[in-house]
Amino acid sequence: MMFARVARRTFTSSAVNPYKVTVLGACGGIGQPLSLLLKLNDKVTDLRLYDIKNAKGVATDISHIPTNSTVTGFSAEEADGLKNALKDTELVLIPAGVPRKPGMTRDDLFNINAGIVYDLATAAAENAPNAAVLVISNPVNSTVPIVAEVFKKKGVYNKKKLFGVTTLDSIRASRFISQVANTNPTQEHVSVVGGHSGITIIPLLSQTKYANTLSKEQRDALIHRIQFGGDEVVKAKNGGGSATLSMAQAGAKFANAVLSGFAGEKNVTQASYVDSPLYKSEGIEFFASPVTLGPDGVQEIHPIGDISAEESELLKECKETLKKNIDKGIKFADSKQ
Ligand code: NAD
Ligand code: LMR
């Protein structure tokens, strides 16, 4: 009797949220824990894992977890592996590419990762033109414009369905501010806007309840730590890569938000780097700010709100760098046939 009740409940929840999700680069430092977390998400019923190495092994391993989704591995060696991983999927996460080593900037990854993202975006545009694409591969400020250009070339670009994942900056901000204020990080929220690299990451501390209680030294240190949290991990891993586990949590959180929007849940708002009207008149095509997610992807892009004079200075510098990063991505995509 008890068993029948449990079984019925499990069936109902999966039937309500039957989403197909594909991870490209699923066997890397981010890809594996991200795929694990997606296997635990009951909105996902068909999880497809693609990588140039070991996708079948990782998929078989994860597939033994008793949640109500299928997990399939697709390798680059098999004919149509990438195509089949993408066919009619609804959400594509891209953590494929190389990570930083100490001394490198995210922009130093451009030469390798731009080509990887270009090729994967081409396959996504051809096989899953209606899917939401969540770009994790760095430099995000440039890889997102590359995906946009690829989809435009293929005639299937939908700006509501393209997202640069900046959630790691948001979760770091919650954690770091809670360490200064000695509070529960799960109850802390800091709006982080701009882009995803160094000075393009702008945490709006003036909008938090600590606006008037942090000293200038505390504020400057906190801003710096949020902007350069990635470097903290790269340095600590000492040549072994960059953030993977916290990024997997961030990626799974953002994917869940997009799926919640698809499912019609209300008031799902997360920061993301999107094709944004906010600073287009200044030539900045993409910008991260709070975005409300809905059944079609982006439902509303919120302005950044009131900011302090200090934050206005940060915004000015952010825009200069962002513009260059975006132009670099667009130029790269346009140079490819
Ligand atoms: P990793 O080297 O551990 O994993 C990358 C994976 O991508 C590997 O399994 C590799 O085989 C795979 N790959 C490479 N080329 C591929 C292709 N053409 N098709 C499919 N798979 C391919 O690296 P990682 O630590 O997982 O980091 C991945 C990327 O994510 C890096 O660019 C890193 O800078 C970025 N990153 C972004 C954020 C963010 O906040 N957006 C955070 C952390 C890392
Ligand atoms: C991060 O913020 O941790 C990632 O962008 C990876 C990196 O290179 O720092």
Side-chain angles (χ1 to χ4, degrees):
M1 204 52 186
M2 175 75 121
F3 175 77
R5 260 206 309 277
V6 171
R8 200 161 43 235
R9 209 177 306 133
T10 308
F11 175 76
T12 306
S13 82
S14 68
V16 169
N17 298 301
Y19 294 112
K20 302 188 255 312
V21 173
T22 300
V23 183
L24 304 178
C27 300
I30 297 167
Q32 291 201 38
L34 174 60
S35 301
L36 168 64
L37 294 171
L38 292 167
K39 174 67 175 142
L40 301 179
N41 186 330
D42 68 5
K43 293 188 180 70
V44 181
T45 50
D46 178 353
L47 181 59
R48 297 131 178 232
L49 309 185
Y50 174 82
D51 202 295
I52 51 172
K53 57 168 202 219
N54 203 23
K56 295 212 184 273
V58 171
T60 303
D61 185 355
I62 289 181
S63 75
H64 290 186
I65 295 168
T67 56
N68 205 9
S69 49
T70 57
V71 186
T72 316
F74 298 88
S75 73
E77 287 94 55
E78 74 190 288
D80 292 335
L82 179 55
K83 184 175 167 187
N84 291 335
L86 287 163
K87 201 83 204 137
D88 299 325
T89 199
E90 281 142 320
L91 189 142
V92 181
L93 288 131
I94 311 183
V98 293
R100 285 198 284 166
K101 290 192 184 327
M104 292 173 80
T105 65
R106 291 179 185 79
D107 190 53
D108 292 334
L109 303 173
F110 186 93
N111 286 345
I112 297 180
N113 289 352
I116 293 173
V117 170
Y118 184 95
D119 291 345
L120 294 174
T122 302
E126 287 168 356
N127 298 291
N130 298 318
V133 179
L134 279 55
V135 184
I136 294 171
S137 315
N138 272 315
V140 166
N141 292 356
S142 305
T143 50
V144 170
I146 290 174
V147 176
E149 289 307 300
V150 169
F151 273 64
K152 281 180 197 168
K153 274 193 204 181
K154 297 274 175 192
V156 293
Y157 181 51
N158 176 356
K159 63 184 175 189
K160 292 182 175 178
K161 293 265 184 92
L162 175 60
F163 304 90
V165 182
T166 59
T167 318
L168 184 52
D169 303 317
S170 304
I171 68 172
R172 279 185 180 135
S174 295
R175 181 61 190 148
F176 298 165
I177 204 166
S178 81
Q179 287 176 302
V180 175
N182 201 17
T183 54
N184 178 350
T186 63
Q187 302 305 312
E188 294 293 355
H189 171 76
V190 181
S191 181
V192 185
V193 301
H196 178 67
S197 71
I199 62 160
T200 68
I201 298 169
I202 311 176
L204 300 177
L205 300 180
S206 71
Q207 294 178 359
T208 70
K209 54 183 179 277
Y210 307 106
N212 300 315
T213 54
L214 293 171
S215 67
K216 171 143 176 56
E217 288 70 36
Q218 280 178 318
R219 209 166 52 236
D220 288 349
L222 198 49
I223 291 169
H224 186 272
R225 191 166 182 218
I226 296 165
Q227 289 183 323
F228 294 94
D231 298 64
E232 207 176 284
V233 182
V234 170
K235 196 170 162 210
K237 289 197 174 177
N238 195 23
S242 55
T244 53
L245 303 172
S246 50
M247 181 58 231
Q249 161 62 12
K253 182 178 182 202
F254 189 69
N256 183 56
V258 174
L259 295 179
S260 299
F262 282 178
E265 287 178 31
K266 302 286 175 223
N267 305 318
V268 182
T269 301
Q270 296 271 317
S272 182
Y273 181 70
V274 293
D275 186 326
S276 171
L278 294 185
Y279 302 104
K280 262 201 209 251
S281 62
E282 298 172 51
I284 295 156
E285 301 281 330
F286 296 86
F287 194 84
S289 74
V291 173
T292 298
L293 298 152
D296 302 319
V298 172
Q299 194 165 66
E300 188 178 354
I301 295 171
H302 301 276
I304 66 172
D306 293 338
I307 61 174
S308 67
E310 227 172 37
E311 289 160 356
S312 293
E313 280 307 306
L314 296 178
L315 180 60
K316 202 168 144 235
E317 287 174 22
C318 160
K319 284 182 191 166
E320 282 165 16
T321 303
L322 258 191
K323 193 168 176 351
K324 287 185 205 149
N325 294 162
I326 294 166
D327 289 347
K328 187 171 176 177
I330 293 174
K331 222 184 217 163
F332 173 84
D334 288 351
S335 73
K336 305 264 284 183
Q337 286 311 313

